[in-house]
Amino acid sequence: MAALLYPVIVQALDTRLALIIGNGGYQGDASLSNPVNNATDLAAALKNRLGFEVIHRTNLTVKEMRTEIKQFGQQLHGMGLFYYAGHAMQVGEENYLIPIGAESALFNSHYNLDENTIKVSFILNTMRDAGNKVNIIILDAYRKNPLDRERPVGLKHAQGNSLIAYAARAGEVALEGKRNSPYAASLIDEINHNPNLSILQLFTRVRAAVRDKTGKLQSPGFYSELDQDFCLVGECRNGDDLSELIVLNLLQAIFFLVVIAVIWLGWRKKWVSAIAWAEYRATKIEQIRYALMTQKKPKKQRRQQEEKKGKLFQFKSVTLDTRGKIIKRPPKNAHYQIEYLGKGITLEMVHIPGGSFLMGSPQTEKDRYSDEGPQHLVTLEPFYMGKYPVTQAQYEAVMGKNPSWFKRKNRPVEWVSWHDAVEFCKRLSEMTSISYSLPSEAQWEYAARAGTTTPFYFGDTITSELANHNHNRGKTSDVGSFPPNAFGLYDMHGNVWEWCADPWHENYEGAPTDGSVWEGEDPYRVLRGGSWYDFPSLCSCVIRSKLTSDFRLNSVGFRLVA
């Protein structure tokens, strides 16, 4: 009966030993910034808050990892905890941890994994063979690669009083953070602030915390073969306390059963009078009426909020297969505001909903540039962005001139410097009393992706029917000539490069996570989106380019946010 009502939780074990390994010092693009920090901070939390004896190692080769794991197994007696942060992959039913020096495993399908990496089953068997009472393995490891061999690591066959926790479920990315990964940060935070949790409570809370921090982009999990739950430190609920709770629970159940029986019998014997019944019905009717009235108010408020976003327009975005063939044309709609610039010229600003996304590209993506990482989570508030790049007609309406090479009023303005674009924003803001600016680099990429994760917002490839690029027209084209993305934005790929507000940074180390402009002293400014002149690969959502802020080209324009 007790097992049905409460989990059996026992006293923390006296002997607790942890082996913590963080591998981040891989060569070239395989290098990772978080694992060493994760290992260092977790080792401190386990030692200082939970009283573990800790073996802490970083950047180990395959020989060093095997030696440390064997020595760890020889010392185990009680509770053992193994934590690994770094590259890993799953092939078939086996999971492999990638030591320093084995980076080739990420890119070479013929690499000898058995000899040059560490099997997770080897770690589990080592801990189990030690006759340990409790074994915990934590794998904070996932980095996707072009071979599609690397997976979120999590075994489904833990054996012998063991628990295996993993940072992300199958198909998800284990994200990186500024100092610690979201998973490691949540695990360390729970240990530091709630050291008296049981093992199952700890990993359940960590899962909830990571899902919350990442906007549900990452969902950790664990698989348990524990026969009972264990406390990590301190006193647990003992048998006497448990008995008292069981008795209290039974008494409450009996009480409610008696109440229900009395009511039922009373009803059958007509103990409830006709007058009482009428009053009861009248009260219920009034409650229902009040509930209906209160429900109308939120609907009205939602309608008013929708109206504030602007008018609704409908469009169709497209989705391509890997061969460039259109396979979907889903209907979409979005809200937009209209700014009147005079002489029949308007500026349309589309409402972009707030949300979270992964900015940049994964380290193992094909043809990736180093300035596209590290990939990091960014969360943005709603904003408005120009439906199209600023046109020549719009630019002339505000600035009184048209500097473009390829003159035509509905083509994007080009031959404008970053300073020209900023001055346009300043004058337009003064004309309209609305604050207009260039987008931050994060706003631009978020808006371009429109919820997708592929290189282009319509898929993995690009064609001349979907964007003006690769010199296939020899000049700019009218804005809106190609299908929009799912947010209703046109020409985010090709036509003209678009200035962003941010100064240039060589990579995303230390980049803001709130979508704001990343300030700096670099004289170069960021350009995004590619142009009519550029190869397809230079028109993707993640490609970054730069020019000095006073430079002008006939392939460079800009787009607004408000």
Side-chain angles (χ1 to χ4, degrees), residues 100 208 383 439 456 529:
I100 299 300
F383 59 96
F456 305 96

Side-chain angles (χ1 to χ4, degrees), residues 358-414:
L358 275 176
M359 185 173 181
S361 62
Q363 293 178 338
T364 49
E365 185 171 290
K366 185 180 179 181
D367 298 328
R368 175 186 187 270
Y369 292 92
S370 60
D371 60 23
E372 296 169 22
Q375 202 172 28
H376 57 292
L377 185 71
V378 179
T379 301
L380 300 93
E381 295 295 323
F383 59 96
Y384 284 86
M385 177 173 263
K387 191 175 185 179
Y388 314 104
V390 172
T391 66
Q392 296 175 29
Q394 292 165 344
Y395 191 87
E396 188 168 5
V398 174
M399 304 295 285
K401 59 182 179 181
N402 179 10
S404 304
W405 276 46
F406 305 113
K407 285 191 166 53
R408 189 166 172 171
K409 66 178 182 179
N410 206 37
R411 287 179 181 165
V413 66
E414 19 84 9

Side-chain angles (χ1 to χ4, degrees), residues 74-123:
Q74 293 168 1
Q75 300 176 56
L76 286 176
H77 179 66
M79 180 182 290
L81 186 151
F82 176 85
Y83 171 87
Y84 172 81
H87 281 301
M89 63 170 58
Q90 180 178 342
V91 179
E93 292 298 315
E94 186 58 77
N95 296 277
Y96 299 86
L97 309 186
I98 310 301
I100 299 300
E103 296 89 338
S104 295
L106 301 173
F107 311 102
N108 184 353
S109 61
H110 301 292
Y111 193 78
N112 192 328
L113 296 174
D114 291 336
E115 288 187 10
N116 299 307
T117 66
I118 302 296
K119 293 182 179 180
V120 174
S121 59
F122 165 67
I123 302 166

Side-chain angles (χ1 to χ4, degrees), residues 457-468:
Y457 55 70
F458 32 70
D460 290 314
T461 188
I462 189 172
T463 69
S464 59
E465 287 74 34
L466 296 176
N468 182 5

Side-chain angles (χ1 to χ4, degrees), residues 100 119 176 283 322 364 383 402 414-415 426 477 485 506:
I100 299 300
K119 293 182 179 180
E176 292 192 271
T283 302
T322 55
T364 49
F383 59 96
N402 179 10
E414 19 84 9
W415 204 258
K426 179 182 176 182
S477 54
N485 68 9
E506 290 298 329

Side-chain angles (χ1 to χ4, degrees), residues 377-502:
L377 185 71
V378 179
T379 301
L380 300 93
E381 295 295 323
F383 59 96
Y384 284 86
M385 177 173 263
K387 191 175 185 179
Y388 314 104
V390 172
T391 66
Q392 296 175 29
Q394 292 165 344
Y395 191 87
E396 188 168 5
V398 174
M399 304 295 285
K401 59 182 179 181
N402 179 10
S404 304
W405 276 46
F406 305 113
K407 285 191 166 53
R408 189 166 172 171
K409 66 178 182 179
N410 206 37
R411 287 179 181 165
V413 66
E414 19 84 9
W415 204 258
V416 286
S417 69
W418 182 85
H419 293 292
D420 294 334
V422 170
E423 181 62 24
F424 177 92
C425 295
K426 179 182 176 182
R427 294 193 188 183
L428 180 61
S429 299
E430 291 172 350
M431 285 173 55
T432 61
S433 299
I434 295 174
S435 180
Y436 288 94
S437 66
L438 296 177
S440 70
E441 194 174 3
Q443 284 178 318
W444 193 96
E445 185 172 326
Y446 175 75
R449 287 187 177 278
T452 63
T453 57
T454 49
F456 305 96
Y457 55 70
F458 32 70
D460 290 314
T461 188
I462 189 172
T463 69
S464 59
E465 287 74 34
L466 296 176
N468 182 5
H469 71 291
N470 207 23
H471 214 290
N472 54 30
R473 286 169 175 76
K475 57 188 175 183
T476 58
S477 54
D478 283 7
V479 299
S481 298
F482 303 95
N485 68 9
F487 282 162
L489 301 176
Y490 293 76
D491 300 300
M492 297 297 282
H493 298 308
N495 217 358
V496 290
W497 287 97
E498 298 180 10
W499 287 110
C500 291
D502 308 57

